[in-house]
């Protein structure tokens, strides 16, 4: 099925992965360490690992996520997001798991 070029990307009505997993990355990706991820949205895990704030809560939700999961969602730091977010694949097994946990239909729907 061809997608409508005028329609929004499916992730913009989801956001489940940004409210479902711990997001850890190397401290070098942080803005205060020469990287681009805004430091204020991160927490230090170890001397070498940082984490997106909020992703290790009992009900995880990344501090950079805007909107309502399953309705409209966006990354507030899209251009500056850390590598795990850049590498996360829509339609992957982890994506499906995150959507399932939120009661959302499999990708693409
Ligand atoms: S940084 Fe952006 S893409 Fe990564 S988990 Fe947070 S909201 Fe999602
Ligand atoms: S869970 Fe999948 S469909 Fe939802 S925002 Fe993440 S990658 Fe996109």
């Amino acid at each position: 099925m061809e997608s409508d070029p005028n329609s929004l990307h499916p992730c913009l009505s989801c956001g489940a992965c940004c409210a479902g997993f711990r997001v850890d990355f190397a401290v070098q990706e942080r803005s205060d360490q020469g990287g681009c991820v805004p430091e204020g949205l991160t927490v230090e895990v170890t001397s070498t690992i940082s984490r997106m704030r909020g992703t290790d809560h009992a009900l995880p939700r990344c501090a950079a996520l805007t909107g309502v999961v399953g309705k409209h969602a966006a990354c507030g730091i899209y251009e500056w997001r850390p590598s795990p977010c850049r590498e996360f694949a829509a339609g992957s097994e982890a994506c499906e798991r995150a959507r399932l946990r939120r009661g959302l239909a499999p990708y693409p729907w």
Side-chain angles (χ1 to χ4, degrees):
M1 183 172 68
E2 280 189 30
S3 61
D4 177 355
N6 295 318
S7 68
L8 289 177
H9 190 280
C11 292
L12 293 174
S13 60
C14 180
C17 55
C18 307
F21 302 114
R22 278 200 305 267
V23 179
D24 290 357
F25 50 92
V27 293
Q28 288 85 351
E29 293 191 48
R30 254 176 26 208
S31 57
D32 62 322
Q33 300 285 320
C36 60
V37 183
E39 179 209 353
L41 291 172
T42 71
V43 289
E44 196 168 307
V45 180
T46 68
S47 59
T48 56
I49 302 289
S50 279
R51 180 171 291 162
M52 288 309 298
R53 187 179 295 280
T55 63
D56 58 0
H57 291 178
L59 292 174
R61 181 183 169 108
C62 178
L65 180 64
T66 63
V68 179
V69 172
K71 296 196 182 309
H72 50 90
C75 175
I77 57 163
Y78 189 76
E79 289 173 42
W80 305 287
R81 69 199 189 285
S83 53
C85 306
R86 295 175 186 277
E87 290 158 11
F88 197 87
S92 64
E93 187 271 332
C95 161
E96 300 292 21
R97 202 154 19 101
R99 290 185 54 79
L100 188 66
R101 277 203 295 248
R102 293 285 178 156
L104 300 170
Y107 178 100
W109 50 95

